[in-house]
Amino acid sequence: MNKKAVAYTLSNLLLFLSAALAAPLFVALYYSRAHGETGVASFLVSIVVAAVVGLAGRIILKGNAELRNREGIAAVALGWTVVALFGSLPFLFEGVFYEPGRSKFEEFVFCFFESISGFTTTGATVLTDIEPVSHAVLFWRSLTHWIGGMGIVVLAVAILPLLGVGGMQLYRAEAPGPETDRLTPRIAQTAKIMWGIYAAISAAEFLLLWAGGMSPFDAACHTFGTMATGGFSTKNASIQHYNSLYFDIVILVFMFLAGTNFALHLKLIRGDFKAHIKDAEFRFYAATLAAAVLLIMWNTMHPPKGETPLYDSIPEAARHASFQVGSILSTTGYATADFEMWPALSQALLVILMLFGGCAGSTAGGMKHIRMMLLLKHGYVEVKRLVMPRSVIAIRVGDRVVSPDIMKNILGFFFLFMALFAGATCFMTTLGMDIVSAGSSVIAAMFNIGPGLGTVGPTDNYAHIPILGKCALSFCMLLGRLELFTVLALFAPQLWKRR
C-alpha cells in the first residue's frame, strides 16, 4: 500500500471540494444583498480550510500519484469520508445545529450526519425545520446530493488526470453494480460522458420545473435531489408542499430516469432506440414499479375490512401510489403523502422496494435490480436442480451466461447486507428505539433512501436519534453508497501491508 499516493489523491479531492463550495458562496452573496441573509463568511472560511489542507497535501506529497488496486480502494472509501467531513464545515460555521446545552461534539455529529447523508444521496435529515435555514446552506445541502449522485470520485477522475493522478482504480472501486461497464476505453472519457449525460438530464428537469412555476432556486435544489436520487427538499412537507400534479409527474419521470442505468441513456443518445427495451434489468425494473403501483392502488382503495379507503378515485390513487413507489424504488425519498397512514400491505411493499433500489450504473441505492433478478433466477435454478440433479442449467441475463464468480459475489454481497442490517438494527434497539423505527432507519440509511417507518417516517426526521445512533447510521450510509466491499476492505489488514 502506497499510503502517500492515497493521501495525495485525498488532497486533490479537497481542492475539488473547495471549488464546489464556490457555488453556494455565490448564492450566499446574492441573498445577503437581496435579503440580508448570513452565510458568506461561513462559506469563505470553509473554502479556505479545504483549499489550504488540499494544497498543502498536494505540495508535500507531490510525485506520489500512482494508484494501484489497493490504493484505489482506500482512496475511494477514505475519500467519501474526508469529503463529508470537510463538507460539514459550512453547517458547523453557520451554526445550523447550534442549540444551548448541546456540546460542540454533538453539534459536529449533527453536521457530519447531514453532510454524509447528502454526499451518499441518502436524504435522511436531522433538520427539524428546513424552511428558516438560509438559502446558501440549503443550496449546499442539495448540491452535495448532485455531486455525490454520480460519484465524487468519478467526477474527480475526469479532472485528476490533469493533476497527474490515474483513474481506473478509482472508477472500479466506486462504480455501482456487480460489474463495471466501461463506456469508452479511457476512464477519464468515461467519466466525462457519464457526467455529460447526468448534467444534460438535470438541465432538462430544471427547465421543466422552472417553467411549471417553481422558483429557480427551488427548481435547482429539487433537480439536484431528483437526479441524485437523494431527496433533500427546501420545504418541510417535501414535494407535497406544492400539491401540483405537474410537479409530481415531472419529478416522477426524472426519478425513474435517474434510477436507470446511465449506459442505456448513452446508447439511446447514440441512436439505439431499443436499448432500454432490450435490457433485461430495465424490463425487470419497469415491471416491478408497475406491479407495485397497481397493488398499492388496489390496497389504498380497497383496504382490509373495517378500514376507510384512502382514495376515492383511480386517478388520485394512481397519482400518489406511482409517486411514492417511484420515489422509494429509485431511493430518492421525496414524498407527496404520508405512507405511514397507508394499509399495512402497502407499507410492507414499500419496505420490500427499499431492498430492490434502482438499476446498476444508476445514481440509485439499494441492492440493485440486477442482483435481485439474479438471486431469483439462482433460487429457481436450484429448485430445478433438485428435481433434475444431473442437468446442467446456466443462469442467463438475456443472451449472456452469468459466470459462477459473479453469482458468488452477489450471494456474498446479499449475505453481508443482511448480516450488517441485522447487527445494526440490534444496535439501534439498544439505544431505546422500537424495532420498526430501528429496522427501517437502518434500511433507509444502508440503502440510501432517507425516510423509513415509525419515528423516522416521511413526515419525521432523524434529529431525535442518540449521538451513537447517528454515528452508526452515518457508517451505514457510507456502506450502502459504496456497496459494502470497498468500505469493509479498509478493515482488512492485508490492504495496508506493503507488497
Side-chain angles (χ1 to χ4, degrees):
M1 165 72 75
N2 185 349
K3 296 175 184 178
K4 290 184 177 180
V6 175
Y8 182 75
T9 304
L10 299 182
S11 300
N12 283 294
L13 286 176
L14 287 180
L15 288 176
F16 166 76
L17 180 69
S18 66
L21 282 164
L25 174 62
F26 288 126
V27 174
L29 286 168
Y30 172 79
Y31 281 98
S32 67
R33 293 182 178 181
H35 302 282
E37 289 187 358
T38 60
V40 175
S42 299
F43 282 96
L44 270 175
V45 174
S46 300
I47 289 171
V48 170
V49 171
V52 167
V53 175
L55 189 60
R58 179 168 169 76
I59 293 172
I60 294 170
L61 300 167
K62 187 176 181 180
N64 292 278
E66 183 183 357
L67 287 179
R68 292 166 293 186
N69 186 57
R70 293 185 183 185
E71 289 79 11
I73 291 171
V76 167
L78 295 175
W80 281 82
T81 306
V82 169
V83 166
L85 280 169
F86 282 80
S88 67
L89 293 180
F91 300 114
L92 185 65
F93 294 148
E94 190 65 10
V96 175
F97 298 104
Y98 169 79
E99 280 189 11
R102 179 178 290 167
S103 70
K104 280 295 181 182
F105 174 73
E106 291 175 327
E107 184 182 355
F108 176 75
V109 171
F110 272 74
C111 296
F112 179 73
F113 185 96
E114 198 76 9
S115 177
I116 199 166
S117 179
F119 281 111
T120 58
T121 73
T122 303
T125 184
V126 285
L127 279 173
T128 54
D129 193 3
I130 296 169
E131 293 172 36
V133 177
S134 71
H135 285 78
V137 169
L138 290 179
F139 186 85
W140 173 240
R141 181 173 173 262
S142 295
L143 185 60
T144 58
H145 269 344
W146 198 74
I147 294 170
M150 189 58 69
I152 180 73
V153 179
V154 173
L155 174 60
V157 159
I159 300 170
L160 293 182
L162 302 176
L163 305 175
V165 179
M168 192 60 212
Q169 288 77 11
L170 291 175
Y171 183 67
R172 282 176 175 159
E174 196 282 334
E179 287 188 311
T180 299
D181 187 6
R182 285 187 64 168
L183 304 181
T184 65
R186 296 186 60 188
I187 183 56
Q189 189 65 20
T190 296
K192 289 174 183 176
I193 289 173
M194 295 281 275
W195 269 91
I197 295 170
Y198 188 55
I201 300 176
S202 298
E205 183 186 1
F206 168 78
L207 292 173
L208 286 171
L209 291 177
W210 188 14
M214 197 177 284
S215 71
F217 176 82
D218 286 344
C221 290
H222 286 106
T223 294
F224 294 154
T226 302
M227 287 309 302
T229 65
F232 277 158
S233 176
T234 56
K235 306 298 180 183
N236 288 324
S238 189
I239 307 303
Q240 189 177 9
H241 169 89
Y242 298 97
N243 192 25
S244 166
L245 177 61
Y246 173 80
F247 289 151
D248 290 357
I249 293 173
V250 170
I251 291 173
L252 173 60
V253 168
F254 283 92
M255 285 192 298
F256 183 75
L257 292 175
T260 303
N261 191 332
F262 274 68
L264 297 179
H265 299 330
L266 175 64
K267 291 177 182 179
L268 178 65
I269 292 170
R270 288 178 171 174
D272 186 355
F273 299 109
K274 295 182 180 180
H276 291 76
I277 301 301
K278 291 186 294 185
D279 186 76
E281 184 188 22
F282 178 81
R283 293 197 302 270
F284 185 49
Y285 173 53
T288 301
L289 186 144
V293 168
L294 291 174
L295 278 171
I296 290 177
M297 284 177 61
W298 171 81
N299 187 227
T300 52
M301 294 181 70
H302 302 89
K305 190 175 180 179
E307 295 185 22
T308 305
L310 290 173
Y311 305 115
D312 298 324
S313 66
I314 291 178
E316 186 182 16
R319 173 185 174 181
H320 293 294
S322 59
F323 189 93
Q324 289 311 140
V325 168
S327 179
I328 294 298
L329 197 63
S330 66
T331 71
T332 304
Y334 280 143
T336 59
D338 183 0
F339 51 75
E340 282 194 290
M341 304 302 294
W342 288 2
L345 173 61
S346 295
Q347 293 186 46
L349 285 171
L350 290 179
V351 171
I352 292 170
L353 294 178
M354 291 179 183
L355 303 179
F356 278 64
C359 298
S362 72
T363 61
M367 289 281 294
K368 303 295 188 301
H369 272 70
I370 186 65
R371 287 194 180 97
M372 299 302 290
M373 183 172 65
L374 288 174
L375 285 170
L376 291 171
K377 284 178 176 284
H378 180 73
Y380 176 67
V381 165
E382 290 303 311
V383 171
K384 289 182 70 175
R385 284 174 179 163
L386 183 65
V387 178
M388 300 180 292
R390 295 185 179 180
S391 62
V392 178
I393 308 171
I395 299 175
R396 296 177 179 271
V397 175
D399 297 330
R400 296 171 58 188
V401 175
V402 179
S403 71
D405 287 341
I406 290 178
M407 284 309 307
K408 288 178 183 177
N409 179 285
I410 291 173
L411 289 169
F413 181 86
F414 181 76
F415 172 77
L416 276 175
F417 241 126
M418 294 300 103
L420 289 167
F421 160 71
T425 299
C426 291
F427 176 77
M428 296 302 288
T429 59
T430 65
L431 301 177
M433 296 184 70
D434 63 273
I435 186 65
V436 172
S437 301
S440 64
S441 69
V442 172
I443 290 178
M446 193 174 291
F447 293 88
N448 306 130
I449 295 160
L453 298 173
T455 60
V456 293
T459 60
D460 301 301
N461 57 66
Y462 288 70
H464 65 281
I465 292 177
I467 291 297
L468 282 177
K470 289 185 179 69
C471 294
L473 292 179
S474 296
F475 183 66
C476 287
M477 293 180 207
L478 188 64
L479 277 174
R481 182 61 183 89
L482 298 182
E483 302 204 330
L484 303 186
F485 294 126
T486 304
V487 178
L488 295 178
L490 290 178
F491 300 96
Q494 295 82 357
L495 182 74
W496 303 100
K497 290 180 179 179
R498 293 182 177 273
R499 291 180 183 271

